[in-house]
Amino acid sequence: MESRIVVSPAPASARPSWGLPSLAWVSQLLAVLMAALFLCAGDAILDAPPAWAEDESAGEEEKEPIERDIESSRESFEQGELRREEQLWSDAATAYWEAVEADPENYAAHVRYQECGRKAGDDLDAMKEDYDSFCEDYPRHLGFKLHRLRLEPAADRLESLEAIRGVHAKNSDVYLEIGRANLAQGNAKSALDAMEKASALKIGSRPDVLLLHAEAEWAAGKRDEAIARLDAAVKADAEFFAARLMLARFQLLNGAFPESAANAEIVVQQRPTYMAAFLVRSEAVASQGEFEEAKKVLDIAYRASKDVPDVTIALADLWAKIEDDSFLVREGSDTKPSYEQAKKLYAEVLADDEENWRALYGLAWVLERQEKFEEAEEKY
């Protein structure tokens, strides 16, 4: 429930001169970031350590016993996290499923498995059948019902979740899922109400609740509260990299570019394979006019993982920005403008995915700037 600044350069009419960009333009740049990095708003927010079991109050009825190998599940989950950070979706999904098999009550592993399985193009109907089997084997186990519901469209699952809440009014997972579904629907106030209830039930012990709560606050326009919540979380736990990266994203959206860059850099040091952290840092330093530093950040990410389209597109976008005459390159810069370099990078992405809309848009934008209007129109 979840990032990457991967959008291609905006039309010239929407782009300010460098120096500092307008907040409106930064918001436009980050529209895709918020969708991609928060994983479509509903499936984001579980970068944190997993919640290993449901609330003690999860069910009024006794649940069927489940064999659990918590240590093996932890190890598989961490392997999934590493693969996910590299955006190797299929490998990540496999590792998360191993975590689920080792400990079916590993709530976070279920969320991650579904997220990465979808990104890897796994068959959704097959995933639903897996969870139908869980529900049949453990009919009194609420967690499997919630996981199964998460595979349905947000609008369809809200009614069912409200019915479940009537029976399990003291279960934080129920409110977590209600909040997740409402966020996906764009119902920020309802999402925030649900997350406040979830937080009240499990204060301090559920990182996933804390993170989704912050996202709901942000969506509801309570930006200061969201930033304060995340800032307090990273001060309490310096290794809570998921909260720090979300804080960096929100600071970027809020125009606090130096603070965003600093927090993203800490995440890069903590998780050197986390491509999203590189992307946030590069945009934060570029937003301060530091193009050479932004390019260095993306070059490192690109060399580490050339198979990640978001990184390649971000680097192409930067090359295109540098050459565009609406941007300023400092005198004596070592970075040489090159639309051609941008085109080469966009082409790399399109060679693997000819329908990648971000690469197509970026390439069309460059062709338009080169006055190759017929070619540009074909890409648009």
Side-chain angles (χ1 to χ4, degrees):
M1 211 164 30
E2 294 277 315
S3 250
R4 357 182 150 145
I5 299 176
V6 299
V7 290
S8 300
S13 61
R15 301 169 63 199
S17 298
W18 288 92
L20 294 181
S22 69
L23 182 58
W25 184 71
V26 171
S27 298
Q28 179 182 359
L29 268 178
L30 293 175
V32 172
L33 166 67
M34 295 300 286
L37 284 183
F38 293 154
L39 306 173
C40 301
D43 287 333
I45 329 303
L46 226 46
D47 284 307
W52 296 110
E54 295 182 358
D55 297 356
E56 292 81 354
S57 58
E60 287 71 11
E61 301 176 274
E62 183 179 355
K63 295 186 296 185
E64 301 87 346
I66 295 178
E67 185 176 344
R68 303 175 67 192
D69 184 346
I70 292 177
E71 187 57 35
S72 293
S73 187
R74 287 178 187 272
E75 293 173 0
S76 295
F77 186 89
E78 179 58 24
Q79 287 302 309
E81 292 288 86
L82 292 171
R83 301 291 83 78
R84 178 181 177 274
E85 290 166 11
E86 296 173 309
Q87 299 187 20
L88 301 175
W89 308 120
S90 182
D91 292 345
T94 298
Y96 289 129
W97 185 250
E98 290 173 359
V100 166
E101 290 183 316
D103 178 12
E105 293 200 53
N106 183 338
Y107 202 93
H110 286 279
V111 177
R112 287 290 201 230
Y113 162 68
Q114 292 177 0
E115 168 207 321
C116 292
R118 285 177 164 183
K119 286 182 173 289
D122 290 355
D123 182 36
L124 183 59
D125 288 336
M127 294 174 71
K128 289 179 179 179
E129 289 176 6
D130 288 338
Y131 282 95
D132 286 338
S133 296
F134 271 128
C135 292
E136 290 173 5
D137 292 340
Y138 303 99
R140 294 192 299 275
H141 198 291
L142 176 60
F144 297 133
K145 296 176 184 177
L146 297 177
H147 298 316
R148 173 61 179 83
L149 276 174
R150 200 184 305 111
L151 295 171
E152 299 296 336
D156 295 344
R157 66 183 188 254
L158 272 173
E159 183 176 350
S160 296
L161 286 168
E162 290 296 339
I164 290 172
R165 178 169 64 171
V167 179
H168 300 276
K170 295 183 179 180
N171 185 295
S172 66
D173 290 336
V174 174
Y175 291 102
L176 178 72
E177 294 303 332
I178 290 172
R180 201 191 305 274
N182 273 298
L183 269 179
Q185 284 288 98
N187 303 326
K189 184 180 184 302
S190 296
L192 183 55
D193 289 344
M195 294 317 304
E196 287 175 348
K197 291 183 174 70
S199 295
L201 287 166
K202 273 293 187 181
I203 295 174
S205 61
R206 289 291 298 267
D208 50 341
V209 172
L210 183 149
L211 291 168
L212 195 61
H213 194 165
E215 187 186 353
E217 286 175 324
W218 185 271
K222 296 186 175 183
R223 293 189 168 196
D224 291 342
E225 289 89 338
I227 288 174
R229 183 178 303 279
L230 295 168
D231 190 54
V234 299
K235 286 177 179 176
D237 180 3
E239 299 299 317
F240 193 174
F241 64 88
R244 191 178 297 278
L245 183 56
M246 184 180 286
L247 176 60
R249 293 172 186 146
F250 287 168
Q251 289 169 330
L252 181 57
L253 284 167
N254 230 24
F257 304 128
E259 294 85 352
S260 174
N263 277 311
E265 175 59 21
I266 292 172
V267 179
V268 166
Q269 296 302 318
Q270 291 174 331
R271 309 288 288 196
T273 63
Y274 208 162
M275 295 296 104
F278 286 94
L279 291 162
V280 172
R281 175 163 170 72
S282 69
E283 187 65 25
V285 297
S287 295
Q288 300 173 75
E290 298 177 15
F291 294 104
E292 292 159 61
E293 179 62 23
K295 182 177 175 296
K296 289 177 183 177
V297 172
L298 289 176
D299 279 340
I300 292 170
Y302 177 73
R303 289 195 300 270
S305 189
K306 288 187 176 182
D307 293 332
V308 177
D310 294 344
V311 171
T312 306
I313 292 171
L315 186 56
D317 290 349
L318 185 61
W319 278 110
K321 289 177 184 178
I322 290 170
E323 176 146 332
D324 180 37
D325 60 9
S326 69
F327 291 86
L328 304 177
V329 179
R330 293 194 301 273
E331 184 177 354
S333 169
D334 292 331
T335 302
K336 305 301 181 185
S338 177
Y339 280 149
E340 294 305 316
Q341 181 65 15
K343 287 165 65 175
K344 177 183 176 182
L345 292 166
Y346 290 132
E348 285 184 17
V349 175
L350 293 170
D352 292 328
D353 179 9
E354 62 183 13
E355 295 183 358
N356 187 301
W357 71 266
R358 298 189 301 273
L360 285 168
Y361 182 88
L363 180 56
W365 187 89
V366 168
L367 290 168
E368 188 179 79
R369 295 305 178 278
Q370 293 180 316
E371 299 185 356
K372 298 179 179 180
F373 299 115
E374 291 186 5
E375 292 182 53
E377 187 175 354
E378 291 177 3
K379 303 303 178 184
Y380 282 130

